[in-house]
Amino acid sequence: MRLRALLDTDALGLRLLGGEDELDRTVRGVMTTDLRDPSRYLSGGELVLTGLAWRRDAADSEPFVRLLVQAQVAALAAGEAELGDVPEDLVVACARHRLPLFAVHESVAFATITEHVVRQVSGERAGDLAAVVDRHRRMMTSGPAGGGPDVVLDLLGSDLDLRAWVLSPTGRLIAGPKVAGPGLPADTCAKLAAEHLAAARTGRRGPHRVTLGSSAYSLFPIRSSGRSPQASRDVRETVLSDWLLAVEADAGDWPEERLDLLQGVAQLIAVERDRRDAARTVRRRLAQEVLELVQTGAAPAEIAARLRVAAPVLLPGLGAAPHWQVVVARVEWQDTELEGGPMAQSLLEEILVDPLATGPEPSDRIAVAHTGDEAIALVPLPAVSTEHDGSESGILADALLEAVRDPLTAGLDDDGRVTLGVSASVHSAEGLRGALEEARHARRVAAARAGRVCAAGHQELASHVLLLPFVPDDVRRAFTARLLDPLRDYDRRHRAELIPTLEAFLDCDGSWTRCATRLHLHVNTLRYRVGRIEQLTSRDLSRLEDKLDFFLALRMS
């Protein structure tokens, strides 16, 4: 709004004392202050209201006005309630610096002016932004996206002073404002995604309002532009794949116009999401073709030919054929006939993107097919290197699980599970069938574990961990009880710490010296404890078979 409009509003009781030539300045906000130096709280364009409590004598006016001008405020309005009249020294200082000066009648509260300015400025900004958003929507639906979601988020920041981000259901930052300012930390993204998924499972309409630390956020679901909230028979069909718009503000007291505007922004971003999903069609088809060849036992040469077609699509400009990894995922819900394959496919396309990468583009390098209730991802690795410990780089099951476990657990509530299996990398068509079976076997290992979201990698298939999940529960309980219950009972009665001693002894490979040092015990004390363990269990810890039994019992307990 313009300063001239303020002067023309009789209810505000403003009287112009200087700056007639500057009345076309734009007011972008309002601030009330009696600080001698309020500049740190000013961002430019404000109407500054002051009761003059900062003024002790005439010499104070010049530096005060100079600070306001340097902060590029629109105008100064001084109240007459404190001194009766606005001091002449302030009028002179404002005239010298060409700063418009108003006198506020003592009968008018600063709150009245503030409310009027905020209402007018917000209304104008909302109208301007709505027009821009509408133009952007038409541009995105009729042709290439005009800068993507980032452009709209920048408009929210510049025109409505709202900071907003687009997040995946796993908390990956897909888009955010490009203007200066602190970003959204990764842990905050994950927590917001978890809050959104938990709220979505309740069936409540958005926006969902949450508070993290000292900041309030409003979370708007971003659904497919062709799907209404009621179009899906079951919220579980899409809850693990829908994006969300996180706005740093509490929408609880927003007017309907602003809520409608943000819903429109969410719909606009949904257009970009649909465009990206459509672009995945080719990659999905490539993955499906390779999967069918592998599962039907096609010749390696035929599989290799399909991989040569897939490589330039997934990794443009790559000279040599890449190495590949296979990731298998399954989404399972209780008491439902929902088809898990498509849900797992959409989810896998999201979670295989590096959580620290921004934007939708990194997902263009992933091809995911689905068969039955599982999804299978073919992930190219442009350069597979060997780490210092001899392991190959690439997707690691533990890192994948750490990045997505908390948000997805909230969305799964108490009736869903996600299990993931990751293969080692292979560099030829001959190894792809083995990689697929390896990933499937790893997923079965993950499925045998407790938890809503579980993952296992190929490294675990070469150890005892491969066998333990498939031992029947009653056998496991009987085996561990027979070996460990006597030690637990003894520890409860005597506080002897035999179980921790046994764990440390096995972890130190039976070394008396190293184990005694770790437990801060004399070797003789350690020998006494081990002897007691052997006496209570009728086992001999010098024998490999008995060491192995204790090791497995501890792992299964």
Side-chain angles (χ1 to χ4, degrees), residues 480-503 529-538 541 550 554:
T480 57
R482 185 169 63 252
L483 277 178
L484 302 182
D485 279 2
L487 306 182
R488 291 175 177 140
D489 291 341
Y490 191 86
D491 280 347
R492 277 194 296 269
R493 293 196 308 269
H494 303 284
R495 298 182 181 178
E497 298 187 355
L498 296 185
I499 292 289
T501 300
L502 176 61
E503 290 176 327
R529 289 187 182 181
V530 170
R532 179 62 68 184
I533 292 171
E534 293 173 334
Q535 180 185 17
L536 291 169
T537 60
S538 301
L541 277 168
F550 278 122
L554 288 169

Coordinates of all heavy atoms in Angstrom, one line a residue, residues 480-503 529-538 541 550 554:
T480 N 18.1 -70.6 24.1 CA 18.7 -69.5 24.9 C 18.4 -69.7 26.4 O 19.2 -69.4 27.2 CB 18.2 -68.2 24.4 OG1 16.7 -68.2 24.5 CG2 18.6 -67.9 23.0
A481 N 17.2 -70.2 26.7 CA 16.9 -70.4 28.1 C 17.8 -71.5 28.7 O 18.3 -71.3 29.9 CB 15.4 -70.9 28.2
R482 N 18.1 -72.6 28.0 CA 18.9 -73.6 28.5 C 20.3 -73.1 28.9 O 20.9 -73.5 29.9 CB 18.9 -74.8 27.5 CG 19.7 -76.0 28.1 CD 19.5 -77.2 27.2 NE 20.0 -77.0 25.8 CZ 19.3 -76.8 24.7 NH1 17.9 -76.8 24.8 NH2 19.8 -76.7 23.5
L483 N 20.8 -72.3 28.0 CA 22.2 -71.8 28.2 C 22.3 -70.6 29.1 O 23.2 -70.5 30.0 CB 22.9 -71.4 26.9 CG 23.5 -72.6 26.1 CD1 24.0 -72.1 24.8 CD2 24.6 -73.3 26.9
L484 N 21.4 -69.6 29.0 CA 21.5 -68.3 29.7 C 20.7 -68.2 30.9 O 21.1 -67.3 31.8 CB 21.2 -67.2 28.7 CG 22.0 -67.2 27.4 CD1 21.6 -66.0 26.5 CD2 23.5 -67.1 27.7
D485 N 19.6 -68.8 31.1 CA 18.8 -68.7 32.3 C 19.5 -68.9 33.6 O 19.4 -68.2 34.6 CB 17.5 -69.5 32.2 CG 16.4 -68.8 31.3 OD1 16.7 -67.7 30.8 OD2 15.3 -69.4 31.2
P486 N 20.4 -70.0 33.7 CA 21.1 -70.2 34.9 C 22.0 -69.0 35.2 O 22.2 -68.7 36.4 CB 21.9 -71.5 34.6 CG 21.2 -72.2 33.6 CD 20.6 -71.1 32.7
L487 N 22.6 -68.4 34.2 CA 23.5 -67.3 34.5 C 22.7 -66.0 34.9 O 23.1 -65.3 35.8 CB 24.3 -66.9 33.2 CG 25.1 -68.1 32.6 CD1 25.9 -67.6 31.4 CD2 26.0 -68.7 33.6
R488 N 21.5 -65.8 34.3 CA 20.7 -64.7 34.6 C 20.2 -64.8 36.1 O 20.1 -63.8 36.8 CB 19.5 -64.6 33.7 CG 19.9 -64.2 32.3 CD 18.7 -64.2 31.3 NE 19.1 -63.7 30.0 CZ 18.6 -64.3 28.9 NH1 17.8 -65.3 28.9 NH2 19.0 -63.8 27.7
D489 N 19.7 -66.0 36.4 CA 19.3 -66.3 37.8 C 20.4 -66.0 38.8 O 20.2 -65.3 39.9 CB 18.8 -67.7 38.0 CG 17.5 -67.9 37.2 OD1 16.8 -66.9 36.8 OD2 17.2 -69.1 36.9
Y490 N 21.6 -66.4 38.5 CA 22.7 -66.2 39.4 C 23.0 -64.7 39.5 O 23.3 -64.2 40.6 CB 23.9 -67.0 38.9 CG 25.1 -67.1 39.9 CD1 25.1 -68.1 40.9 CD2 26.1 -66.1 39.9 CE1 26.1 -68.2 41.8 CE2 27.1 -66.2 40.8 CZ 27.2 -67.2 41.7 OH 28.2 -67.3 42.7
D491 N 23.0 -64.0 38.4 CA 23.3 -62.6 38.4 C 22.2 -61.8 39.3 O 22.6 -60.9 40.0 CB 23.3 -62.0 37.0 CG 24.6 -62.3 36.3 OD1 25.6 -62.7 36.9 OD2 24.6 -62.1 35.0
R492 N 21.0 -62.2 39.2 CA 19.9 -61.6 40.0 C 20.1 -61.8 41.5 O 19.9 -60.9 42.2 CB 18.5 -62.1 39.6 CG 18.0 -61.4 38.3 CD 16.5 -61.7 38.2 NE 16.2 -63.1 38.0 CZ 16.2 -63.7 36.8 NH1 16.3 -63.0 35.7 NH2 15.9 -65.0 36.7
R493 N 20.6 -63.0 41.8 CA 20.8 -63.3 43.3 C 22.1 -62.7 43.8 O 22.1 -62.2 45.0 CB 20.8 -64.8 43.5 CG 19.4 -65.4 43.2 CD 19.4 -66.8 43.8 NE 20.5 -67.6 43.4 CZ 20.5 -68.4 42.4 NH1 19.5 -68.5 41.6 NH2 21.6 -69.2 42.1
H494 N 23.1 -62.7 43.0 CA 24.5 -62.3 43.5 C 25.1 -61.1 42.9 O 26.2 -60.7 43.3 CB 25.4 -63.5 43.4 CG 24.9 -64.8 44.0 ND1 25.0 -65.0 45.4 CD2 24.4 -65.9 43.5 CE1 24.5 -66.2 45.6 NE2 24.1 -66.8 44.5
R495 N 24.4 -60.5 41.9 CA 25.0 -59.3 41.2 C 26.4 -59.7 40.7 O 27.3 -58.9 40.8 CB 25.0 -58.1 42.1 CG 23.6 -57.7 42.5 CD 23.7 -56.4 43.3 NE 22.3 -56.0 43.8 CZ 22.1 -54.9 44.5 NH1 23.1 -54.2 45.0 NH2 20.9 -54.6 44.9
A496 N 26.6 -60.8 40.1 CA 27.9 -61.3 39.7 C 28.3 -60.9 38.4 O 29.5 -61.0 38.0 CB 27.9 -62.8 39.8
E497 N 27.4 -60.4 37.5 CA 27.7 -59.9 36.2 C 28.3 -61.0 35.3 O 29.3 -60.7 34.6 CB 28.6 -58.6 36.2 CG 28.0 -57.4 36.9 CD 28.8 -56.2 36.8 OE1 29.9 -56.3 36.3 OE2 28.3 -55.1 37.3
L498 N 27.7 -62.1 35.4 CA 28.2 -63.2 34.6 C 27.9 -63.0 33.1 O 28.7 -63.4 32.2 CB 27.7 -64.6 35.1 CG 28.1 -65.0 36.5 CD1 27.5 -66.4 36.8 CD2 29.6 -65.0 36.7
I499 N 26.7 -62.6 32.8 CA 26.3 -62.3 31.4 C 27.2 -61.3 30.7 O 27.8 -61.6 29.6 CB 24.8 -61.9 31.3 CG1 23.9 -63.1 31.7 CG2 24.5 -61.4 29.9 CD1 23.9 -64.2 30.7
P500 N 27.4 -60.1 31.3 CA 28.4 -59.2 30.7 C 29.8 -59.7 30.6 O 30.5 -59.4 29.6 CB 28.4 -57.9 31.7 CG 27.0 -58.0 32.4 CD 26.8 -59.5 32.5
T501 N 30.2 -60.5 31.6 CA 31.5 -61.2 31.5 C 31.6 -62.1 30.3 O 32.6 -62.1 29.6 CB 31.8 -61.9 32.8 OG1 31.8 -61.0 33.9 CG2 33.2 -62.5 32.8
L502 N 30.6 -62.9 30.1 CA 30.5 -63.8 29.0 C 30.6 -63.1 27.7 O 31.4 -63.5 26.8 CB 29.3 -64.7 29.1 CG 29.0 -65.7 27.9 CD1 30.2 -66.7 27.8 CD2 27.7 -66.4 28.1
E503 N 29.8 -62.0 27.5 CA 29.8 -61.3 26.3 C 31.2 -60.7 26.0 O 31.7 -60.8 24.9 CB 28.8 -60.1 26.4 CG 27.4 -60.6 26.4 CD 26.4 -59.5 26.5 OE1 26.7 -58.5 27.3 OE2 25.3 -59.6 26.0
R529 N 35.1 -66.0 37.5 CA 33.7 -65.8 36.9 C 33.5 -66.8 35.7 O 32.4 -67.4 35.6 CB 33.6 -64.3 36.3 CG 33.5 -63.3 37.4 CD 33.2 -61.9 36.7 NE 33.1 -60.9 37.7 CZ 32.8 -59.6 37.4 NH1 32.6 -59.3 36.1 NH2 32.7 -58.7 38.3
V530 N 34.5 -67.0 34.9 CA 34.4 -67.9 33.8 C 34.2 -69.3 34.3 O 33.4 -70.1 33.8 CB 35.6 -67.9 32.8 CG1 35.6 -69.0 31.8 CG2 35.6 -66.5 32.1
G531 N 34.9 -69.6 35.4 CA 34.7 -71.0 36.0 C 33.3 -71.1 36.5 O 32.7 -72.2 36.4
R532 N 32.7 -70.1 37.1 CA 31.3 -70.1 37.6 C 30.4 -70.3 36.4 O 29.4 -71.1 36.5 CB 31.0 -68.9 38.4 CG 29.6 -68.8 38.9 CD 29.3 -69.9 39.9 NE 30.1 -69.7 41.1 CZ 30.1 -70.6 42.2 NH1 29.4 -71.7 42.1 NH2 30.8 -70.3 43.2
I533 N 30.6 -69.6 35.3 CA 29.8 -69.8 34.1 C 29.8 -71.3 33.6 O 28.8 -71.9 33.3 CB 30.3 -68.9 33.0 CG1 30.0 -67.4 33.3 CG2 29.6 -69.2 31.6 CD1 30.6 -66.4 32.4
E534 N 31.0 -71.9 33.6 CA 31.1 -73.2 33.1 C 30.4 -74.2 34.1 O 29.8 -75.2 33.7 CB 32.6 -73.6 33.0 CG 33.3 -72.8 31.9 CD 34.8 -73.1 31.8 OE1 35.4 -73.4 32.9 OE2 35.4 -72.9 30.7
Q535 N 30.5 -73.9 35.4 CA 29.9 -74.8 36.4 C 28.4 -74.7 36.3 O 27.7 -75.8 36.4 CB 30.4 -74.3 37.8 CG 29.8 -75.2 38.9 CD 30.2 -74.6 40.3 OE1 30.6 -73.5 40.4 NE2 30.0 -75.5 41.3
L536 N 27.8 -73.5 36.1 CA 26.4 -73.4 36.1 C 25.8 -74.0 34.8 O 24.6 -74.4 34.8 CB 26.0 -71.9 36.2 CG 26.3 -71.3 37.6 CD1 26.1 -69.7 37.5 CD2 25.3 -71.8 38.6
T537 N 26.5 -74.0 33.7 CA 26.0 -74.4 32.4 C 26.5 -75.8 31.9 O 26.0 -76.3 30.9 CB 26.3 -73.4 31.3 OG1 27.8 -73.3 31.2 CG2 25.7 -72.0 31.7
S538 N 27.4 -76.3 32.7 CA 28.1 -77.6 32.3 C 28.7 -77.5 30.9 O 28.7 -78.4 30.1 CB 27.0 -78.7 32.3 OG 26.5 -78.9 33.6
L541 N 34.3 -73.3 28.1 CA 34.6 -72.2 27.3 C 36.0 -72.3 26.6 O 36.3 -71.4 25.8 CB 34.5 -70.9 28.0 CG 33.1 -70.3 28.2 CD1 33.0 -69.2 29.2 CD2 32.6 -69.9 26.8
F550 N 27.3 -70.4 23.0 CA 27.1 -69.2 23.8 C 26.9 -68.0 22.9 O 26.1 -67.1 23.2 CB 28.2 -69.0 24.8 CG 28.2 -69.8 26.0 CD1 29.2 -70.7 26.4 CD2 27.1 -69.7 26.9 CE1 29.1 -71.4 27.6 CE2 27.0 -70.4 28.1 CZ 28.0 -71.3 28.4
L554 N 23.5 -65.7 22.8 CA 23.5 -64.2 23.1 C 22.9 -63.4 22.0 O 22.2 -62.5 22.2 CB 24.9 -63.7 23.4 CG 25.5 -64.2 24.8 CD1 27.0 -63.9 24.8 CD2 24.8 -63.5 25.9

